[in-house]
Amino acid sequence: MDDDLRVVLQVTRHAHKQLKKEKITSKELELIKNNCISMFRGVPSANVHKLKLPQFNRVGIETTFYIVRLGLKARAIVSVDYDDLFEQLLITVYGYTKNHNIDKMISNITESFYQQNKFLEENGGRYAD
């Protein structure tokens, strides 16, 4: 891994609404990104924790979800994936909260993935946004 790692920060529609509602600054988004890059490079951080999702693990799905702590109350749920084809680190923000309602946020995100998977199964593996 070199110092010129290409990083793409993506935000889902749902997370974008939450970030806008909470008036998140670019500085806080940069903090999410920097914490994820450090974790990816193997630097231990007290601010990034692997998100355990038993409902995914039961069916054999290994996730790359993490909770990023951004202060006393603020938390973001992100996925961190390395794209070998384009040689870039993809960081996707799925949710954000400042009020410790992390359990509800996790529930909403997993329900969203469940619904997308159900749609894919019912439509022969095709996805339409």
Side-chain angles (χ1 to χ4, degrees), residues 4 9 14 16 19 21 23 31 43-45 49 51 54 56-57 59 67-68 84-85 91 97 102 109 111 118 123:
D4 59 331
L9 181 67
H14 178 71
H16 181 72
L19 294 170
K21 178 182 171 186
K23 298 180 177 122
L31 185 59
V43 177
S45 173
H49 301 281
L51 181 58
F56 282 90
N57 294 341
V59 293
I67 296 177
V68 179
D84 287 324
L85 182 61
I91 301 169
T97 185
I102 197 82
I109 291 168
E111 177 64 23
K118 189 174 174 185
N123 291 288

Side-chain angles (χ1 to χ4, degrees), residues 34-46 48:
N34 290 338
N35 278 314
C36 292
I37 291 169
S38 294
M39 183 273 312
F40 177 75
R41 290 188 167 155
V43 177
S45 173
V48 182

Side-chain angles (χ1 to χ4, degrees), residues 38 77 86 105:
S38 294
I77 294 182
F86 294 103
M105 187 170 56

Side-chain angles (χ1 to χ4, degrees), residues 10-68:
Q10 307 172 112
V11 179
T12 64
R13 267 188 244 144
H14 178 71
H16 181 72
K17 288 178 186 177
Q18 292 171 327
L19 294 170
K20 191 173 180 180
K21 178 182 171 186
E22 298 289 344
K23 298 180 177 122
I24 300 308
T25 65
S26 59
K27 181 180 175 184
E28 289 169 302
L29 282 174
E30 194 68 22
L31 185 59
I32 291 172
K33 183 173 123 179
N34 290 338
N35 278 314
C36 292
I37 291 169
S38 294
M39 183 273 312
F40 177 75
R41 290 188 167 155
V43 177
S45 173
N47 295 325
V48 182
H49 301 281
K50 181 91 170 158
L51 181 58
K52 294 179 175 88
L53 297 170
Q55 60 272 42
F56 282 90
N57 294 341
R58 273 186 292 222
V59 293
I61 299 173
E62 179 66 30
T63 67
T64 58
F65 288 109
Y66 297 88
I67 296 177
V68 179

